[in-house]
Amino acid sequence: MADTAMTHALGCLGVYFAKAVFSEVLQMHPSKRFNILQITRMHFQWDWLCLGALIITSVTAEIENEETLDADVEVEDFDKQSQEADVDRDKSSLEVVYQTPKPTGEVYFTETFDGVLAGWVLSKTKKEDTDDNIAKYDGRWEVEELKENTVPGDRGLVLKSVAKHHAISAMLTKAFIFDNKPLIVQYEVNFQEGIDCGGAYIKLLSSSDDLNLEYFFDKTPYTIMFGPDKCGEDYKLHFIFRHKNPKTGEYDEKHAKRPDVDLKKFYLDKKTHLYTLVLKPDDTFEMLIDQSVISKGSLLEDMVPPVNPPKEIEDPSDKKPDDWDERPKIPDPNAVKPDDWDEDEPSKIEDSDAVKPEGWLDDEPQYVPDPNAKKPKDWDEEMDGEWEAPQIPNPKCETAPGCGHWVRPMKNNPNYKGKWKAPMIDNPNYQGIWSPRKIPNPDYFEDLHPFEMTTVSAVGLELWSMTSDIYFDNFIICSEKEVADRWAADGWGLKKLVASANEKTDEDIDFKKPDISKPITKGELKQEREELEDDEIELEEKENEDTAEDERREMEETKRELIKDTKKMGREAPPSEDEGEGGEDIDEEEENEGADGSQEEGDMSNKSGSEDEMKEADESTGFGDGPLKSVRKRRVRKD
């Protein structure tokens, strides 16, 4: 636009110079002064025209400059808004406002680990029946945030030591009595480093007058043990409760049957998972992971061993009679071996029809000493004996069907029958499988409500692990499912949202984001635009090359078909005078091409249709001057 204004300015200056020269000419020719008025009028017209052109050019240039600046500002504003939008999106997906969960109903215990670790007691005792160097409960615990998918402000209890015993416990706010209210135990676990061998289960410790948390160890009486456990490829979700025998007063562990679900992913995905146990007064239970039921059943029917013993047991004093026959089948005593049954026939015999393969190297061994092997320098023949090179496969046998002494292969013997045995028949004296008689169980009892367990007054973690950084958080013990669900939503639900947002962010980060800390200049935008245009041009050129290649192949195929048609027409038409009886050789015709020009034109006129089509094909593909065209001409001339 500046160049245009400069052009108009130079034009106007030229007009002014012309006016000056023209005035001098008028002075030199007085006879033409009568035209001064007209010329003056023309001068004014040129002046106004020049001035108007300058004004228009200047205004237009200013408008375009403003538009350019506005466009640049819009681009920069758009880029800034896009960057701000990306930042806001990242913040909305990763940064959340965390508030420590608060129970919304009656609870017996809660722990978020967000504040001071109050009420938790580290064990000071030792594990019995274990080596002294590992018997002590000296595993380290820390309160810290998650390593991945961190929620700022949300902290948990982390098991930090490897190959050590850990024990920590806390008293409940109030003891849970198993009467007419359900028991709900819920907490979060994250195997931040995966898990090789170790557990993350909790124990609900039984109430007793001598319960001392400083001496909490593996034999401290508990009522319920619940949670994940893994060693090797054995992935478990424990639910064990200690049942009191009403007759003897002794406690037995009752294990829930294994869930029919693959639990592997919960141990390896390094995500926070929610574990929930629900015990109901109707003697049923449910185990949930991430609020989905993994296993459920009855305390009376789905525990191993059963809560209630059988009413009858086998008489330990009963013994099987000596003449008791348990055989359902016996050999037929009346069967006789056939006379032609030869038990001496072998199962395999040589194949007499086999022939040694041609090229078999009888004199070559299958293995030969390695020619490149050398006796070690420290070889002592007196101590080690005579040194021999190691054997390697004979290289001459690689191309031959075989080496060494040829032996006929073995085949199944058609006459083989094996050792004769009498056929089996039903045993007429069969009495069935013997079993001891049943007697009343002297230890029988019937507990119709195993839900009524020993009162719980404390919760503890007593663990051994070969992997560190096991994360625990948001413990709650209550009786209302709604309270546990709301507690989970405020804690585990927030972790789940952050993890999902981070996964989505990782998927969306495939495209190239601009550096927010470094603004993009107009020059960089122009360079990126030119690079995109160059890429588009290269892509179009590649597509054009592919299209031209396809057209060339189609045209060559058309040429071949036209040549075949021409040859076919030549076989059907009578021979021409130029060819004579036997015809002329193609090479001779090519040499006499100039002499036979007129005759060639006559022959070509008879085949004008085919030749014109082939010529058009040559012109369209650009191969008209190539060897293929001369060959086609020679064949047409001969026809």
Side-chain angles (χ1 to χ4, degrees), residues 209-226:
D209 296 335
D210 59 349
L211 178 61
N212 187 343
L213 299 185
E214 290 185 352
Y215 295 95
F216 170 46
F217 71 131
D218 60 322
K219 293 185 179 180
T220 301
Y222 69 90
T223 300
I224 291 174
M225 189 176 93
F226 168 68

Side-chain angles (χ1 to χ4, degrees), residues 207-272:
S207 295
S208 64
D209 296 335
D210 59 349
L211 178 61
N212 187 343
L213 299 185
E214 290 185 352
Y215 295 95
F216 170 46
F217 71 131
D218 60 322
K219 293 185 179 180
T220 301
Y222 69 90
T223 300
I224 291 174
M225 189 176 93
F226 168 68
D229 187 17
K230 185 252 183 185
C231 198
E233 290 300 314
D234 189 12
Y235 301 88
K236 297 178 181 178
L237 180 60
H238 289 299
F239 165 43
I240 305 171
F241 76 92
R242 295 173 72 244
H243 179 262
K244 184 178 180 180
N245 188 316
K247 295 190 71 173
T248 64
E250 297 179 354
Y251 285 87
D252 296 319
E253 290 185 351
K254 309 297 180 181
H255 296 248
K257 295 179 181 178
R258 295 179 70 105
D260 189 18
V261 176
D262 184 9
L263 303 175
K264 186 174 182 179
K265 65 177 182 179
F266 301 111
Y267 296 80
L268 304 179
D269 61 4
K270 299 182 180 181
K271 294 182 180 179
T272 303

Side-chain angles (χ1 to χ4, degrees), residues 83 512-520:
Q83 295 173 4
K512 182 179 179 181
K513 287 187 176 181
D515 188 359
I516 298 174
S517 60
K518 182 180 179 180
I520 299 177

